[in-house]
């Protein structure tokens, strides 16, 4: 597992530096500062949880990293490259993939076609050139997300939980190095959530999933279902009002008084 | 030889005769290609040749606006650019048709870039409004450089498409069939899948690593290419390129034909032209109320077939297998591919929960058996 990762690192300058480094990131919507000078980093194959009450600015951070929104200030460096100002597709092709909190399927396309689209992106093609049939690869992504039996249904027929899994299948299909999941457990029932937690851990450990290959990708996971989230992540960042108010291991964070006040005080711990 | 013929027959039966929709399309094409030989009436040939030319034009609009969702209200620009380019090359430089029509089509591709690049930053109604402006601008240029474009009168006296009407018809028909097949093949390819995805959700396509700007430009250029082929053919067939080829009416006709026939299907656009264009000629029997009747028929058809004529007919004649999604003739009791019983009429409304559990049950029983 370490061999391919070093191959990917390429330049020696990258060793030791974090995979993703966000500094002073700021985003305003009119008068509202949704993200206020946020700095954090994610190490290689680290799983980071991002939590905070509704409207804290978590999804905005995801969209800024994915290049869907443009930051007002700050920088986002991925493997030493500045992502700010880059087109979303270039960011994906560098190895960052994310899911949307409000799922965004290609509604009238069958599920399999939904996942074939990212398989047609340059990154996926480059990495799997020996796979002539992208459909096979798309099927593996569906298999991984546990919705392969629905492959031929159009996306508008899916339930909310299934759409969440479709989002994950689409993100995984590009074989990213950094995977960002925005509320993957939202709308899933307990047994579905257990399955998903298991898949995420499997993905993180790395290995082969049919034609898909993972080298133990780094992840940022956002969710309100802390009972699931805290079991998966190595480290937690807590946001409130656009700022990071605490960070640490899951055990440390649940004991932090600021966090309890800002977050856990208001919402029952799931 | 005999084995090869047997193979062809088997392919023909398996690919075309199994589905009523394909059988109809195939027979119609065959009739259109054979009938003029038996009955070469010049007026009939003229109408049918124009129908083929406009079918390319409508299909090219459907490729850009139906498939990629870039609602183009000024599609005539591609048609007009190619018509004028072919005409000027033919008359001023004396180039033959074999050069003028391809160069005209290339000019329309360039027009595709000129329209497409500013449109990359626009969406929805804003994009449509911008596209509306391009033919108007070009029309202004036509009236500015009259010594070159002939102004109001246009450029006339072009070389005929072919020496006889029959030849002209067959050139239009063959170019028409080939272009439409090419467009249909594009929508059925990986490129088509990406274009589909861009229409469904552009942001999600970007987040899937697709360079949507590049693909949208490709769509503008391809659409321009085929509209340009139609424009060049038209100019040589009518032996004139005039300002009406850039008019709003030309743009809107493509839209009406396509929506009437069935948008985002390609075959619907073609069916729309083949029904509406000859119909407008037939309606000449009642000149006073011709356009009124024409409009009334379109409104009535769309009232009862909101998806367009062709998809409505296909829906009656074919049934989708609930399991493998293959189409089957309505007469079949079970799917021709996977054998699933088809007797239950397919639900139209997407009732997700119910439908889904039914589907899973079927596949489970299939595996058991
Ligand atoms: N496009 C936008 N325009 C204006 N305001 C926005 C926009 N997107 C987000 N906001 C605002 O920015 C703030 C942060 O939103 P964000 O979606 O990042 O929150 P969140 O932490 O993801 O919340 P949740 O847990 O509910 O998903 C909210 O107050 C929201 O109303
Ligand atoms: Mg959110």
């Amino acid at each position: 597992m370490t061999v391919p990762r070093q191959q990917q690192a390429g330049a020696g300058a990258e060793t030791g530096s974090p995979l993703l480094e966000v500094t002073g990131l700021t985003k305003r919507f009119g008068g509202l500062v949704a993200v206020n000078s946020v700095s954090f980093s994610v190490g290689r194959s680290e799983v980071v949880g991002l939590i905070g009450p509704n409207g804290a600015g978590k999804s905005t951070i995801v969209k800024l990293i994915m290049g869907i929104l443009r930051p007002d200030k700050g920088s986002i460096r991925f493997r030493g490259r500045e992502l700010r100002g880059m087109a979303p597709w270039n960011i994906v092709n560098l190895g960052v993939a994310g899911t949307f909190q409000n799922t965004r399927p290609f509604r009238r396309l069958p599920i399999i076609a939904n996942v074939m689209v990212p398989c047609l992106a340059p990154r996926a093609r480059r990495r799997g050139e020996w796979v002539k049939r992208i459909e096979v690869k798309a099927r593996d992504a569906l298999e991984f997300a546990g919705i392969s039996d629905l492959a031929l249904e159009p996306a508008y027929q899916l339930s909310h939980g299934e759409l969440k899994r479709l989002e994950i299948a689409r993100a995984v299909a590009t074989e990213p190095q950094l995977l960002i999941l925005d509320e993957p457990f939202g709308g899933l029932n307990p047994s579905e959530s257990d399955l998903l937690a298991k898949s995420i851990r499997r993905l993180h450990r790395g290995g082969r999933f049919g034609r898909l290959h993972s080298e133990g990708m780094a992840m940022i996971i956002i969710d309100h279902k802390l009972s699931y989230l805290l079991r998966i992540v190595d480290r937690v960042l807590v946001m409130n009002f656009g700022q990071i108010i605490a960070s640490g291991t899951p055990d440390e964070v649940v004991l932090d008084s600021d966090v309890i006040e800002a977050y856990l005080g208001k919402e029952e711990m799931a | 030889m005999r084995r090869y013929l047997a193979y062809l027959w088997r392919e023909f039966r398996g690919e075309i005769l199994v589905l009523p929709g394909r059988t109809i399309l195939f027979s119609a094409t065959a009739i259109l290609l054979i009938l003029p030989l038996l009955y070469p009436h010049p007026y009939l040939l003229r109408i049918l040749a124009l129908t083929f030319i406009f079918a390319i034009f409508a299909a090219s609009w459907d490729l850009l606006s139906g498939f990629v969702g870039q609602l183009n209200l000024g599609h005539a620009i591609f048609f007009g650019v190619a018509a004028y380019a072919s005409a000027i090359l033919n008359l001023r430089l004396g180039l033959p048709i074999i050069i003028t029509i391809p160069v005209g089509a290339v000019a329309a591709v360039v027009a595709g870039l000129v329209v497409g690049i500013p449109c990359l930053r626009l969406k929805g109604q804003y994009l449509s409004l911008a596209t509306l402006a391009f033919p108007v601008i070009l029309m202004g240029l036509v009236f500015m450089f009259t010594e070159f474009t002939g102004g109001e009168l246009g450029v006339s006296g072009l070389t005929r498409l072919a020496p006889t009407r029959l030849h002209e018809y067959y050139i239009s028909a063959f170019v028409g069939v080939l272009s439409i097949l090419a467009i249909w093949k594009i929508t059925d390819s990986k490129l088509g899948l990406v274009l589909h995805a861009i229409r469904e959700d552009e942001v999600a396509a970007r987040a899937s690593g697709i360079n949507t700007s590049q693909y949208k430009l490709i769509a503008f250029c391809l659409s321009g290419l085929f509209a340009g082929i139609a424009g060049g053919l038209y100019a040589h067939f009518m032996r004139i390129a005039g300002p009406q080829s850039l008019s709003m009416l030309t743009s809107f006709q493509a839209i009406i034909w396509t929506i009437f026939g069935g948008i985002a299907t390609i075959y619907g656009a073609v069916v729309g032209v083949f029904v509406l264009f000859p119909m407008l000629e037939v309606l000449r029997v009642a000149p006073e109320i011709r356009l009124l009747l024409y409009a009334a028929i379109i409104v009535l058809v769309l009232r009862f077939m909101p998806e367009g004529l062709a998809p409505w007919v296909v829906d009656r004649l074919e049934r989708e297998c609930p399991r493998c999604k293959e189409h089957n003739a309505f007469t079949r009791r079970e799917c021709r591919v996977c054998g699933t019983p088809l007797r239950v009429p397919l639900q139209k409304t997407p009732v997700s929960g119910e439908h889904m559990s039914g589907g899973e049950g079927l596949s489970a029983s299939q595996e058991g058996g």
Side-chain angles (χ1 to χ4, degrees):
Chain A
M1 216 167 77
T2 47
V3 179
R5 214 179 296 159
Q6 253 154 25
Q7 274 174 352
Q8 269 188 351
E14 283 185 36
T15 42
S17 70
L19 185 67
L20 180 82
E21 196 166 17
V22 172
T23 33
L25 195 64
T26 302
K27 178 71 189 176
R28 288 191 190 84
F29 294 114
L32 174 81
V33 190
V35 176
N36 190 355
S37 181
V38 164
S39 304
F40 66 94
S41 64
V42 178
R44 282 165 199 287
S45 75
E46 191 183 16
V47 182
V48 174
L50 182 57
I51 62 173
N54 292 110
K58 307 178 297 290
S59 299
T60 306
I61 288 188
V62 174
K63 288 178 197 155
L64 290 170
I65 297 174
M66 287 167 73
I68 291 164
L69 290 175
R70 292 191 176 268
D72 295 317
K73 255 196 247 134
S75 87
I76 306 161
R77 298 181 86 77
F78 176 71
R79 289 163 63 198
R81 301 264 301 264
E82 178 63 56
L83 297 189
R84 187 178 164 185
M86 237 187 231
W89 52 83
N90 287 331
I91 293 173
V92 173
N93 288 315
L94 275 180
V96 181
T99 65
F100 292 98
Q101 178 179 353
N102 313 308
T103 55
R104 302 190 72 145
F106 305 122
R107 288 179 50 81
R108 275 174 289 181
L109 293 183
I111 309 308
I112 183 83
N114 266 266
V115 185
M116 277 162 74
V117 172
C119 290
L120 288 166
R123 176 182 177 83
R125 285 206 204 179
R126 193 164 56 233
R127 293 172 60 90
E129 225 150 15
W130 54 278
V131 186
K132 279 284 165 279
R133 294 182 52 205
I134 52 161
E135 197 178 330
V136 180
K137 202 166 151 190
R139 279 212 181 257
D140 289 332
L142 287 183
E143 199 91 47
F144 172 77
I147 46 174
S148 58
D149 50 336
L150 300 170
L152 297 172
E153 301 292 335
Y156 62 73
Q157 296 223 335
L158 294 197
S159 70
H160 185 68
E162 288 157 350
L163 283 175
K164 284 275 176 199
R165 287 192 270 174
L166 174 60
E167 285 281 331
I168 293 172
R170 249 182 0 191
V172 169
T174 61
E175 299 175 75
Q177 253 185 302
L178 172 65
L179 178 67
I180 310 174
L181 301 174
D182 197 347
E183 303 204 7
F185 297 107
L188 266 58
N189 64 35
S191 69
E192 287 175 325
S193 298
D194 281 334
L195 270 178
L196 181 64
K198 224 179 266 171
S199 316
I200 291 175
R201 263 191 297 246
R202 206 158 66 109
L203 202 58
H204 176 56
R205 247 184 283 127
R208 291 215 144 268
F209 308 97
R211 301 291 192 287
L212 294 174
H213 186 220
S214 158
E215 281 136 10
M217 53 187 78
M219 296 186 201
I220 300 174
I221 307 176
I222 298 172
D223 217 292
H224 291 292
K225 290 193 178 171
L226 297 188
S227 56
Y228 289 103
L229 187 76
L230 295 182
R231 270 190 277 148
I232 306 175
V233 299
D234 302 326
R235 190 154 60 88
V236 188
L237 303 171
V238 189
M239 276 190 85
N240 201 9
F241 300 116
Q243 284 176 310
I244 292 182
I245 54 166
S247 88
T249 63
D251 297 334
E252 287 166 9
V253 164
V254 264
L255 297 176
D256 190 298
S257 61
D258 284 347
V259 177
I260 294 169
E261 193 182 316
Y263 191 91
L264 304 172
K266 277 192 266 174
E267 291 193 30
E268 282 288 303
M269 202 176 143
Chain B
M1 181 67 190
R2 180 172 300 166
R3 261 179 52 212
Y4 187 64
L5 280 181
Y7 165 79
L8 274 187
W9 169 243
R10 235 181 306 126
E11 282 289 295
F12 177 70
R13 241 185 27 191
E15 290 296 319
I16 292 176
L17 290 187
V18 283
L19 289 177
R22 288 186 193 170
T23 314
I24 293 173
L25 273 185
F26 182 84
S27 334
T29 315
I31 290 172
L32 282 171
L33 291 182
I34 295 167
L35 179 76
L37 280 180
L38 309 175
Y39 182 67
H41 191 280
Y43 180 66
L44 180 73
L45 288 180
R46 180 192 151 85
I47 299 302
L48 287 181
L50 284 175
T51 312
F52 268 112
I53 293 172
F54 286 132
I56 309 176
F57 185 54
S60 75
W61 184 80
D62 198 20
L63 177 65
L64 181 62
S65 302
F67 265 85
V68 198
Q70 310 289 303
L71 193 63
N72 183 357
L73 298 183
H75 203 54
I77 185 155
F78 304 139
F79 195 79
V81 160
Y84 270 107
S86 308
I88 290 170
L89 287 175
N90 183 242
L91 277 178
R92 305 272 188 268
L93 299 180
L95 294 174
I97 288 174
I98 195 82
I99 296 176
T100 58
I101 293 180
V103 174
V106 170
V109 172
V110 175
L113 283 177
V114 171
V115 178
I117 289 172
C119 284
L120 286 180
R121 304 198 149 267
L122 301 174
K123 275 196 183 64
Q125 310 96 301
Y126 301 103
L127 181 132
S128 301
L129 276 180
T131 57
L132 200 54
F134 283 95
V136 177
I137 295 169
L138 198 68
M139 187 90 92
L141 291 177
V142 163
F143 284 106
M144 253 167 73
F145 301 98
T146 41
E147 73 279 14
F148 216 54
T149 60
E152 184 79 55
L153 297 174
V155 191
S156 59
L158 276 70
T159 320
R160 284 186 70 164
L161 204 51
T164 73
R165 249 301 116 85
L166 197 65
H167 282 96
E168 284 185 319
Y169 170 75
Y170 275 106
I171 290 178
S172 313
F174 276 117
V175 176
V177 170
L178 287 182
S179 302
I180 291 160
L181 277 180
I183 294 175
W184 177 75
K185 217 49 205 153
I186 289 169
T187 60
D188 203 38
S189 66
K190 288 175 189 167
L191 171 63
L193 176 60
V194 172
L195 298 182
H196 244 310
I198 290 175
R199 181 194 59 200
E200 292 292 307
D201 193 327
E202 198 171 329
V203 173
R206 283 184 191 152
S208 302
I210 300 295
N211 185 340
T212 51
S213 300
Q214 186 191 324
Y215 277 97
K216 279 197 284 184
L217 275 186
I218 291 175
F220 269 100
C221 290
L222 282 174
S223 179
L225 174 74
F226 289 105
I229 292 175
L233 282 175
Y234 181 80
H236 281 284
F237 186 80
M238 301 301 282
R239 306 186 64 195
I240 182 171
Q244 67 276 13
S245 66
L246 284 168
S247 70
M248 209 105 88
L249 184 69
T250 308
S251 300
F252 284 2
Q253 268 180 321
I255 301 173
I256 293 168
W257 288 326
T258 307
I259 291 177
F260 175 87
I263 196 169
T265 57
I266 303 300
Y267 66 86
V270 176
V271 169
V273 178
F274 271 91
V275 172
L276 286 184
F277 187 73
M279 191 173 85
L280 201 53
E281 292 301 316
V282 172
L283 289 179
R284 281 185 198 281
V285 292
E288 304 85 22
I289 51 164
R290 174 166 166 250
L291 287 178
L292 189 70
L293 272 178
Y294 183 72
I297 290 170
I298 293 174
V299 169
L300 274 180
V301 165
L302 288 181
R303 165 68 185 77
F304 293 103
M305 310 170 186
E307 309 234 297
L309 177 68
W312 186 87
V313 173
V314 169
D315 261 5
R316 308 295 114 162
L317 295 179
E318 293 175 9
R319 194 167 290 167
E320 195 180 61
C321 167
R323 182 161 169 266
C324 67
K325 308 290 169 194
E326 287 290 339
H327 278 236
N328 287 279
F330 69 102
T331 47
R332 286 194 72 99
R333 292 291 174 93
E334 71 270 332
C335 175
R336 68 195 162 96
V337 178
C338 65
T340 308
L342 290 172
R343 244 165 290 170
V344 225
L346 199 71
Q347 292 164 273
K348 274 273 112 176
T349 42
V351 194
S352 55
E354 259 181 60
H355 190 87
M356 210 84 71
S357 56
E360 275 165 12
L362 277 176
S363 65
S365 69
Q366 199 67 28
E367 274 157 22

